[in-house]
Amino acid sequence: MAKLYYGSDIAPIALPDRLMGYIKVITSTKLRRGESFTLTWTGTTEEPGRSTIWLQPAIPLRFVFDSVEPEQLVGDYLRSLADQANAASGLVIDTRTWESAEEATRTPVRSARPVGRSVLAA
């Protein structure tokens, strides 16, 4: 499980490494541009409800991953999450279903476009 340390909170947000890889890429991109947004996650075993944090450049963040190597991310799923982060509702992730949503972007649905490319989380 990867951990996100947010602001001065000593209790980290724990999510799967690959999911946190997506969040890291989106967060880094948006904060580098000076854009703030909300991140909401639902359905963890520790927190069965819903949690939301406000991400903005002045709040310190630290991502800690169990894996030494960067995760392989699916480009199409990354783009769909980035689009969602740009919406008024912010980035919303259901930790119970994100893997099936990611997998769905790997297989084209009645489309001639190629299967999504992998992206390294860095």
Side-chain angles (χ1 to χ4, degrees), residues 6-7 31 35-41 52-57 59 61 88 90:
Y6 176 73
L31 296 182
E35 300 172 3
S36 302
F37 67 106
T38 58
L39 167 62
T40 301
W41 64 97
T52 300
I53 57 174
W54 176 250
L55 295 165
Q56 60 131 346
I59 299 172
L61 298 173

Side-chain angles (χ1 to χ4, degrees), residues 22-23 25-27 29-30 33 35-40 54-55 77-93:
Y22 286 109
I23 293 169
V25 170
I26 292 165
T27 301
T29 300
K30 289 191 67 63
R33 295 176 185 161
E35 300 172 3
S36 302
F37 67 106
T38 58
L39 167 62
T40 301
W54 176 250
L55 295 165
Y77 185 60
L78 179 61
R79 278 185 285 286
S80 72
L81 292 177
D83 289 345
Q84 192 181 102
N86 289 327
S89 61
L91 180 56
V92 180
I93 297 174

Side-chain angles (χ1 to χ4, degrees), residues 72-107:
Q72 290 283 336
L73 305 180
V74 177
D76 287 342
Y77 185 60
L78 179 61
R79 278 185 285 286
S80 72
L81 292 177
D83 289 345
Q84 192 181 102
N86 289 327
S89 61
L91 180 56
V92 180
I93 297 174
D94 186 333
T95 60
R96 297 165 297 193
T97 61
W98 75 272
E99 288 177 301
S100 59
E102 177 194 45
E103 185 61 33
T105 64
R106 292 181 192 263
T107 308

